[in-house]
Amino acid sequence: MRILLILLLLTAAPALAQTPDDTEVEVTSTDQAVDIEPGLADGRIAERIAQILDATGWYSDASVRVNDSIAFLDGTTTTTERKTWARDLAAKTTGVVAVVNRIEVEHAVELTIDPAVREVRVLKDQLLGALPSIALALLILPLAWFAARLVRHILSWSLRGRTRSPFIADILARLGALPVLLLGLYLVLQIAGLTQLALSVVGGAGVLGIVIGFAFRDIAENFLASLLLSLRQPFARGDIINVAGQSGVVHSMNTRSTVLVSVEGNHIQIPNATVFKSIIENITAVPRRRGELDLGIGYDAAISDVQRIVNAVLSAEPGVLKHPEPMVLADTLGASTVNVKIYYWFDGAQISPLKLRSALVRQIKQTLMDAGISMPDEAREIIFPEGIPLQQGTEPAPVPEPAPKEGRSEMDDDLSAEDDLEEQMQVPIEGSNDTDLLR
């Protein structure tokens, strides 16, 4: 009968694994043979197992009950290992053929700094072991830094005078010194055994570089544009240029923007990327410049006479170059005038285009008036709805006094280029003039 009960318990282990309150239990059979006549009383077996459990001090509310050589263990403990140990203890006890382990594991919260102390000790041991590598790194890195600076100075000296821009020479010198610094860093990582870490850092730096590149795309674009502009040098300091809808005298160029001084004396900063991608009109790249005037003469005037008179005025003007020769060409037939185009050349580095134009307008106008060449205004139509009123007068209308003749004046003697912007040209932009890439 007892043997039949034990077999039923073993085959029904899954059913016994759940208590009425759904608490998980563990049923374990032992390797001991089942006696027909029990050798020890169940009470003595339970008492012996309970004594051992109490002696360990690992269990709370420990309770051991043995019924027909089946040990039932109850109570609580703090770890799974201690629960397993109690099961093994009961299974090794003589007279126990099966163990039902219902000990619950309660993880107690321990307020201790032992884990932190252990980590500090580990870090200390690692630090002591890495002291030789750290000392060697502190020796190699400064040597690599000074070697890179020495290579940079040597390259800067060798490139002096061989490149048109000091900025380009500095960039090339820095690029040449960079491998020396990277070699020193590689040696440090190799000695410290951090080669794999270095590869990971380089890979992460590549990804980080892409992110930073998108974030600072405009800054990088302007820097590259300044590099290319320094190579091409489409303008120099003091040149008058038109670019991106702005015109003025070139003040300076840094790694971000090109600075112009407008005719009003204002500073205009244009991003270098915009300058590089725009059409640049350098007005003073070649000193010889061409000016033009529009002239309207009456239909009663001979165009050949007008051409001869105007050519004589242009030839007599010192500010007009003899080569290329000036041209006076008939352009269009207007409503009341024949429109003539006047082309002339002058030295833009020495002559002010505004002053020269003013002098030519005065002289041509006076010379044509003296020659009796009419210069009528544009035709206008005037309508009188009630007719033209006529008034009888007894006194003759006063004769207007002749207007004073206009010709060459004292203002025409000074045709030099304007220097009113010199003060604005001397004002530094964004710090020191040392950053000016045009010097």
Side-chain angles (χ1 to χ4, degrees), residues 96-110:
V96 176
V97 296
V99 178
V100 179
N101 190 1
R102 296 182 296 198
I103 297 178
E104 297 180 357
V105 178
E106 294 181 354
H107 298 281
V109 178
E110 298 181 2

Side-chain angles (χ1 to χ4, degrees), residues 125-368:
D125 296 338
Q126 293 178 351
L127 179 61
L128 292 177
L131 280 179
S133 300
I134 294 175
L136 189 59
L138 293 177
L139 177 63
I140 293 178
L141 285 179
L143 290 177
W145 173 259
F146 286 113
R149 289 179 60 88
L150 179 61
V151 171
R152 176 187 169 188
H153 287 302
I154 293 175
L155 291 177
S156 298
W157 175 79
S158 62
L159 293 173
R160 187 177 304 167
R162 297 186 179 183
T163 58
R164 294 183 299 175
S165 173
F167 176 64
I168 300 299
D170 183 67
I171 292 295
L172 294 177
R174 289 177 183 270
L175 290 177
L178 182 61
V180 179
L181 184 61
L182 293 179
L183 178 61
L185 182 61
Y186 173 78
L187 291 176
V188 171
L189 295 176
Q190 186 72 18
I191 293 173
L194 299 176
T195 307
Q196 295 298 327
L197 176 61
L199 295 177
S200 301
V201 170
V202 170
V207 176
L208 183 61
I210 295 175
V211 176
I212 294 177
F214 277 104
F216 298 94
R217 180 180 60 183
D218 293 339
I219 297 177
E221 185 180 18
N222 288 325
F223 178 80
L224 292 177
S226 65
L227 184 64
L228 295 174
L229 289 173
S230 298
L231 286 172
R232 296 178 56 188
Q233 294 186 349
F235 48 78
R237 177 180 171 85
D239 286 350
I240 301 176
I241 65 173
N242 294 325
V243 59
Q246 304 291 335
S247 62
V249 182
V250 177
H251 177 280
S252 59
M253 182 178 69
N254 51 52
T255 56
R256 190 190 70 84
S257 61
T258 298
V259 183
L260 304 181
V261 179
S262 66
V263 293
E264 295 84 5
N266 300 323
H267 287 157
I268 304 173
Q269 299 194 36
I270 307 175
N272 287 330
T274 303
V275 175
F276 182 76
K277 293 185 290 187
S278 301
I279 298 175
I280 302 174
E281 181 185 5
N282 194 333
I283 299 175
T284 55
V286 178
R288 186 178 298 172
R289 297 173 57 184
R290 192 183 78 172
E292 62 181 56
L293 289 173
D294 293 325
L295 174 64
I297 60 175
Y299 275 91
D300 58 339
I303 298 178
S304 58
D305 293 340
V306 173
Q307 291 176 319
R308 177 179 51 79
I309 294 172
V310 173
N311 274 322
V313 174
L314 295 176
S315 300
E317 174 55 52
V320 177
L321 298 177
K322 303 302 185 289
H323 300 283
E325 295 181 357
M327 296 183 297
V328 181
L329 306 174
D331 187 28
T332 59
L333 300 176
S336 59
T337 59
V338 177
N339 298 322
V340 177
K341 283 282 190 179
I342 303 172
Y343 300 97
Y344 57 92
W345 294 82
F346 63 96
D347 187 353
Q350 304 294 330
I351 303 299
S352 169
L354 299 179
K355 292 180 181 179
L356 178 59
R357 181 185 178 90
S358 175
L360 291 177
V361 168
R362 288 198 303 269
Q363 295 175 39
I364 291 173
K365 179 249 186 185
Q366 184 60 46
T367 305
L368 291 178

Side-chain angles (χ1 to χ4, degrees), residues 1-10 28-30 32-46 49 64-72 90 93-100:
M1 184 67 180
R2 178 177 300 177
I3 295 174
L4 180 59
L5 178 61
I6 294 173
L7 292 176
L8 289 174
L9 287 173
L10 294 177
T28 306
S29 61
T30 67
Q32 300 185 33
V34 179
D35 294 335
I36 302 298
E37 295 291 336
L40 295 175
D42 292 339
R44 294 193 57 187
I45 296 174
I49 295 175
V64 181
R65 182 173 59 87
V66 179
N67 186 10
D68 289 335
S69 298
I70 301 174
F72 295 88
T93 303
T94 304
V96 176
V97 296
V99 178
V100 179

